């Protein structure tokens, strides 16, 4: 055979080339966009458990907290305004992701990252200087705009730069940076809580500027992806960039597929309308259900409110913050595991194994809480029970991070054809942010009313989402993005939505040459 692509066992092509240092550098820099998302996730729960912060902005919650030891501990943090402090960010991110879609498509992925980092920086400054709840909420909304832009562009950038056989590992760099941001925030909260004078919360909120500066400056040095350059009408620049990132001159087959994808893309004047077409039914379904399932798994109960949750269960002061640091450490380790297994084991195996692990852990945590607090919410958590709760929460977090945590961003970013990619990723981010907002706004109230049953509620959703993956998500490892239509065409269910003419941009599935 002459040089070119070959067919792998997944039904897609593998192009010539290697993992170059240039690709590693650009993917590491782009992945730092996850730091802003992770830092905010980790910082909000710790700050809302600090007494000086509550006294200044939410005195009613502070009074509830002081009286909780003699009453229903499930309800000590139940306050809509306090939940709005956390959730407002994600509502802003939802709206911003729609604008980010246009920026990403018209100007390129790097400028969307730059806009996200800068806006997040402004929000961090406003939060650190906040004097009232209004300033807090406005600052949080600016943070949300930044996250909406970064989450829309970074996963797509990573998937487009990476060689197909390493796309999973490099894309999960985004999830790794999210978890590093969470751990850093929880360590900072643990330290700032000890600052005398009650201003530690200001330091925690203001330090969000650090990851914002990292991604803002880093984005200035990033090149555009070959896919983006081709999409925006720069074929020669796309060819040069493709040659550089693959480390070979033998790019003819991959470049030809990019050209074909561009020709299809030029015919699409309204990607938001086209994504509703029958032939994109599988991708649209995944863009909606994967981020939805990611949020109803219950992970943000831990991510947002870990210190609050641990205090509700009887962990006081530094103990609640330290316990959340432990879960943050597990998030980082789990992300590393996912990076080095996703391209070997595949997406489906990690989804299914992680789902089983999450299910067992949720049931165990709910049962332990039920035994000690019942439905009254009055009780104590002995040291042995407390250790068991922390252990099972860590097991749950590990299962999530190497399955739905990492793959919830990876899979949607790799399945869309070029002509609807920006719109598809925008839908993914918007659905994710909407249900993140719902969970963040409702969790403390749900905990108050559903009590330990809340953990069984999330366990039920884990059953549903794991079953969905088992039947409806095909394996996408090792398949080039412009060949992904072959995966759906070979699936027992989704193939009924795709006709023979719908894979024209993918090229011929078997390359025969002499």
């Amino acid at each position: 055979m002459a040089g070119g692509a070959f067919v792998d066992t997944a039904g897609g092509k593998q192009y010539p080339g290697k993992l170059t240092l240039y690709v590693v550098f650009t993917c590491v820099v782009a992945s730092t966009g996850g730091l802003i998302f992770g830092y905010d996730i980790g910082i909000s729960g710790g700050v809302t458990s600090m007494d000086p912060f509550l006294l200044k902005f939410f005195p009613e919650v502070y009074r509830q907290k002081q009286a909780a030891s003699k009453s229903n501990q499930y309800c000590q943090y139940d306050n809509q305004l306090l939940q709005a402090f956390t959730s407002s960010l994600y509502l802003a991110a939802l709206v911003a992701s729609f604008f980010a879609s246009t920026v990403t498509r018209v100007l390129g992925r790097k400028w969307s990252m730059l806009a996200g980092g800068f806006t997040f920086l402004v929000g961090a400054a406003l939060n650190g200087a906040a004097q009232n709840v209004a300033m807090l909420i406005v600052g949080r909304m600016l943070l949300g705009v930044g996250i909406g832009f970064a989450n829309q562009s970074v996963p797509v950038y990573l998937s487009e730069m990476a060689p197909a056989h390493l796309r999973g590992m490099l894309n999960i760099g985004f999830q790794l940076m999210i978890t590093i941001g969470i751990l850093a925030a929880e360590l900072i909260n643990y330290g700032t809580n000890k600052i005398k004078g009650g201003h530690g919360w200001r330091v925690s909120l203001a330090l969000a500027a650090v990851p914002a500066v990292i991604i803002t400056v880093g984005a200035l040095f990033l090149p555009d992806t070959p896919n983006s350059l081709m999409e925006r009408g720069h074929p020669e620049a796309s060819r040069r960039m493709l040659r550089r990132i693959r480390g070979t001159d033998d790019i003819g087959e991959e470049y030809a597929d990019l050209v074909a994808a561009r020709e299809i893309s030029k015919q699409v004047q309204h990607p938001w309308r086209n994504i509703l077409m029958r032939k994109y039914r599988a991708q649209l379904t995944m863009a909606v259900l994967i981020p939805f399932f990611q949020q109803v798994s219950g992970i943000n109960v831990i991510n947002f409110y870990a210190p609050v949750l641990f205090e509700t269960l009887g962990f006081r002061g530094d103990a609640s913050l330290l316990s959340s640091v432990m879960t943050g450490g597990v998030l980082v380790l789990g992300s590393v595991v996912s990076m080095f297994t996703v391209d070997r084991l595949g997406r489906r195996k990690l989804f299914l194994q992680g789902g089983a692990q999450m299910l067992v852990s949720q049931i165990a945590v709910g049962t332990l809480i039920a035994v000690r607090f019942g439905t009254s919410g009055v009780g104590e958590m002995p040291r042995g029970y407390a250790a068991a709760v922390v252990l099972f929460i860590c097991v749950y977090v590990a299962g999530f991070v190497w399955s739905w945590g990492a793959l919830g961003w990876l899979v949607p970013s790799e399945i869309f054809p070029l002509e609807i990619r920006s719109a598809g990723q925008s839908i993914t981010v918007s659905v994710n942010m909407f249900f993140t907002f719902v969970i963040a706004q409702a969790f403390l109230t749900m905990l108050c009313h559903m009590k330990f049953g809340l953990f069984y509620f999330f366990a039920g959703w884990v059953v549903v989402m794991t079953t969905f993956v088992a039947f409806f998500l095909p394996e996408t490892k090792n398949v080039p993005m412009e060949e992904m239509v072959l995966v759906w065409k070979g699936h027992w269910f989704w193939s009924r939505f795709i006709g023979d003419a719908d894979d024209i941009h993918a090229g011929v599935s078997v390359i025969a040459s002499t």
Side-chain angles (χ1 to χ4, degrees), residues 278-299:
R278 178 181 173 85
K279 64 179 179 179
Y280 301 129
R281 192 67 48 80
Q283 295 95 324
L284 180 60
T285 300
M286 298 302 162
V288 173
L289 288 186
I290 287 179
F292 167 72
F293 286 143
Q294 188 185 55
Q295 295 311 309
V296 296
S297 70
I299 186 59

Side-chain angles (χ1 to χ4, degrees), residues 35-51:
L35 289 175
I36 61 176
F37 191 24
Y39 187 88
D40 181 80
I41 288 173
I43 214 69
S44 58
V47 166
T48 52
S49 71
M50 295 181 184
D51 288 346

Side-chain angles (χ1 to χ4, degrees), residues 64-266:
Q64 289 177 194
K65 180 180 174 181
Q66 299 308 306
S69 60
K70 301 176 182 178
S71 59
N72 188 345
Q73 290 183 228
Y74 291 124
C75 299
Q76 62 176 305
Y77 283 97
D78 181 19
N79 182 276
Q80 288 299 304
L81 188 59
L82 177 64
Q83 291 174 110
F85 164 73
T86 299
S87 67
S88 57
L89 179 149
Y90 300 96
L91 198 58
L94 186 160
V95 175
S97 65
F98 289 102
F99 294 98
S101 171
T102 301
V103 174
T104 301
R105 180 165 55 89
V106 175
L107 300 180
R109 286 52 166 153
K110 63 175 288 182
W111 295 109
S112 188
M113 297 182 215
L114 181 67
F118 180 77
T119 309
F120 196 91
L121 180 62
V122 176
L126 195 59
N127 269 179
Q131 298 299 319
N132 50 55
V133 174
M135 284 185 70
L136 276 180
I137 299 298
V138 172
R140 294 284 295 172
M141 295 182 74
L142 288 173
L143 296 178
V145 172
I147 287 174
F149 272 82
N151 285 15
Q152 207 279 341
S153 54
V154 172
V156 170
Y157 184 93
L158 296 173
S159 289
E160 290 180 342
M161 291 294 282
H165 67 289
L166 294 174
R167 187 172 61 240
M169 182 184 74
L170 293 175
N171 190 284
I172 289 174
F174 178 63
Q175 173 70 18
L176 177 61
M177 290 296 180
I178 290 175
T179 60
I180 290 174
I182 292 172
L183 178 59
E186 288 168 343
L187 287 169
I188 287 169
N189 278 336
Y190 183 71
T192 58
N193 192 47
K194 300 177 183 296
I195 294 177
K196 295 181 179 180
H199 298 296
W201 62 269
R202 286 195 185 277
V203 178
S204 291
L205 294 178
L207 283 177
V210 175
V213 169
I214 291 174
I215 182 57
T216 303
V217 174
L220 294 173
F221 295 93
L222 289 177
D224 259 321
T225 69
N227 312 63
S228 178
L229 291 167
M230 181 66 72
E231 183 181 29
R232 292 184 288 121
H234 306 292
E236 287 307 312
S238 175
R239 186 195 296 271
R240 290 193 298 271
M241 183 54 62
L242 189 61
R243 186 180 293 117
R244 184 174 186 182
I245 67 175
R246 298 294 179 251
T248 179
D249 290 331
D250 188 10
I251 60 167
E253 190 71 28
E254 185 171 6
Y255 182 75
D257 282 348
L258 283 177
V259 172
R262 168 58 180 161
E263 292 305 309
I264 294 291
S265 180
K266 286 195 299 184

